[in-house]
Amino acid sequence: MAGQAVGSWTLSRRGLLATAATSLLAACGRTEVPGVRRPENPELVIGANLELTGVGRFMGLLQERSLRIMADTLNEAQVPVGNLRRTIRLVIRDNKSNPRVAADQTAELATRENVHAIVGGCLAETSLRIIPAAEEHQVPFISFAAADNLTTPLSERTYIYKLAPDARDMARALGALIRSQKLQRVGLLAAAGPHGDSGLRAVTAALESNDRTLVATARLPRAEGADCGPAAERVVVQSPDAVIIWGTSPFAGAAARAVRDTGYTGALFFDAGAVSEELLDERNTPAVEGAYAVHPISLSGSSLTNTTTAGLARRDFVYRYIHEHGAFSGFAPYGADAVRLIADAARLGKSVDRGRIRAYLATQVVEGIAGAYSFSPIWHGGMAPDFLGVFTVSNGAWSRVS
């Protein structure tokens, strides 16, 4: 009896030690223990909190495509994390372009789904509600929105990163373009909400530094389908030489139509948030023909001849996109870049621990599909301004100017 009892105790003790060793080594980024079976199908789980319906759908649906393409690409060889190769698994949620829903889904992804990182938030409004939930649950979040206050103050945004270009960089490019065309008087139609707030501040400063005159500003309505006519009239009545429309689809296209309906025939300019497939649909094409936009260089196909490592990766992504969806949409594929950044952070940190992914995201200096990013412990976004280009609508398609 005693021998049997000792034998049982010894076996239990060994099992306990093996379990403790597994937990300790996993915490240190090592997941293989002699005599302990490796977990089957280890994963890197990425949650996607996207606007697949509602006003942000024109951006969210395209980002879902790029997320899936990059995950499939990386899964062909899997992601080396420590001693294991992990498969990327996406957990995608539709926040319906509703900030409250976006916040609730962030909590669900962080707790119930236990994701290792979250991406999404194409609208500034949804991203701003995702951020507190991501910080509370200490899960890294990469935003696709362009508002300037997403990653600041850094003391309250330690787990937050963004990929979209900063408003000030886009506004500076627009200001220089307007000056080069010798246009003096400028009107601004800005979206309601934080995206438009960032644009208003940035455009005001950029025009002043370029010695241009901001003659009128107006805010676009919040509701999709609302009449943009009154806002357009308040700007056009001041006889501007140029009109900047700072807003996302579908508001940017509706604003362009409203401006043209006033009889204005001058130059139109857009920020990157306006650029989507919807902006060039048949309703908007007559209004936006000849318009300009500042946008990441992914909008053009000129990079297809680039033979650098980044250029080849971009070319492979474009080919895969065309194969799956018939034509490439150059609307900055932030989703693809976000997946690769998270995978690289897990690889470098040799762990899928959320804290280590957050820390190694802060060391990323890379050129992605949409553009280049240079993160650091004191800077969490967005895109490098050198990867912005100027584009114009010619015969219903985008053509790069510079």
Side-chain angles (χ1 to χ4, degrees), residues 44-50 63-64 66-68 70-71 74 79 88 90 116-121 140-145 161-164 317 332-346 357 361 364 366-371 373 375 383:
L44 170 58
V45 187
I46 300 175
N49 195 328
L50 294 171
Q63 296 310 321
E64 181 189 18
S66 64
L67 284 169
R68 293 186 184 279
M70 183 55 70
L74 295 179
V79 181
I88 295 173
L90 300 175
H116 300 122
I118 296 175
V119 303
F141 169 54
I142 299 180
S143 171
F144 302 151
Y161 295 80
K162 81 162 189 170
L163 303 187
F317 176 84
Y334 301 125
D337 287 346
V339 169
R340 183 175 287 279
L341 283 165
I342 292 167
D344 285 348
I357 289 176
L361 279 173
Q364 301 290 327
V366 298
E367 181 179 339
I369 306 300
Y373 314 97
F375 297 148
M383 182 181 296

Side-chain angles (χ1 to χ4, degrees), residues 77-338:
Q78 299 182 310
V79 181
V81 181
N83 293 326
L84 292 177
R85 287 191 172 271
R86 291 180 178 266
T87 299
I88 295 173
R89 177 165 64 89
L90 300 175
V91 182
I92 298 175
R93 296 289 184 268
D94 175 17
N95 61 41
K96 301 178 173 60
S97 304
N98 184 314
R100 180 185 57 79
V101 173
D104 291 343
Q105 288 180 345
T106 301
E108 184 243 341
L109 288 168
T111 55
R112 186 181 306 170
E113 296 294 343
N114 198 29
V115 300
H116 300 122
I118 296 175
V119 303
C122 298
L123 298 177
E125 289 83 353
T126 53
S127 279
L128 286 170
R129 288 294 295 273
I130 290 171
I131 287 169
E135 285 289 323
E136 177 185 353
H137 296 285
Q138 296 186 325
V139 56
F141 169 54
I142 299 180
S143 171
F144 302 151
D148 285 348
N149 59 341
L150 296 179
T151 58
T152 56
L154 191 58
S155 60
E156 300 173 9
R157 303 284 198 271
T158 56
Y159 279 80
I160 312 305
Y161 295 80
K162 81 162 189 170
L163 303 187
D166 287 342
R168 63 180 180 179
D169 292 330
M170 291 185 287
R172 286 170 180 169
L174 285 173
L177 177 63
I178 289 170
R179 182 183 61 190
S180 71
Q181 296 185 1
K182 296 181 171 54
L183 304 172
Q184 182 63 46
R185 297 169 56 82
V186 182
L188 172 65
L189 281 164
H195 182 83
D197 293 343
S198 296
L200 180 58
R201 290 191 297 268
V203 167
T204 301
L207 292 179
E208 182 178 352
S209 66
N210 281 281
D211 196 26
R212 306 296 104 175
T213 304
L214 184 61
V215 296
T217 65
R219 304 304 289 265
L220 298 172
R222 290 182 178 273
E224 181 178 2
D227 184 11
C228 294
E233 288 282 359
R234 287 196 295 274
V235 169
V236 173
V237 74
Q238 299 299 323
S239 302
D241 303 316
V243 172
I244 297 174
I245 297 176
W246 196 286
T248 58
S249 291
F251 302 102
R257 296 197 306 269
V259 168
R260 294 306 189 198
D261 286 344
T262 67
Y264 175 80
T265 58
L268 284 181
F269 301 84
F270 295 101
D271 76 298
V275 179
S276 72
E277 293 173 339
E278 185 271 344
L279 187 68
L280 297 185
D281 70 17
E282 59 184 9
R283 296 177 307 160
N284 297 327
T285 299
V288 302
E289 181 70 21
Y292 294 89
V294 170
H295 192 277
I297 59 173
S298 58
L299 190 58
S300 72
S302 59
S303 61
L304 296 182
T305 60
N306 192 329
T307 57
T308 65
T309 300
L312 292 173
R314 189 177 294 119
R315 182 172 64 184
D316 179 67
F317 176 84
V318 171
Y319 285 164
R320 288 173 184 261
Y321 196 105
I322 292 173
H323 176 73
E324 294 188 22
H325 302 289
F328 176 63
S329 175
F331 168 63
Y334 301 125
D337 287 346

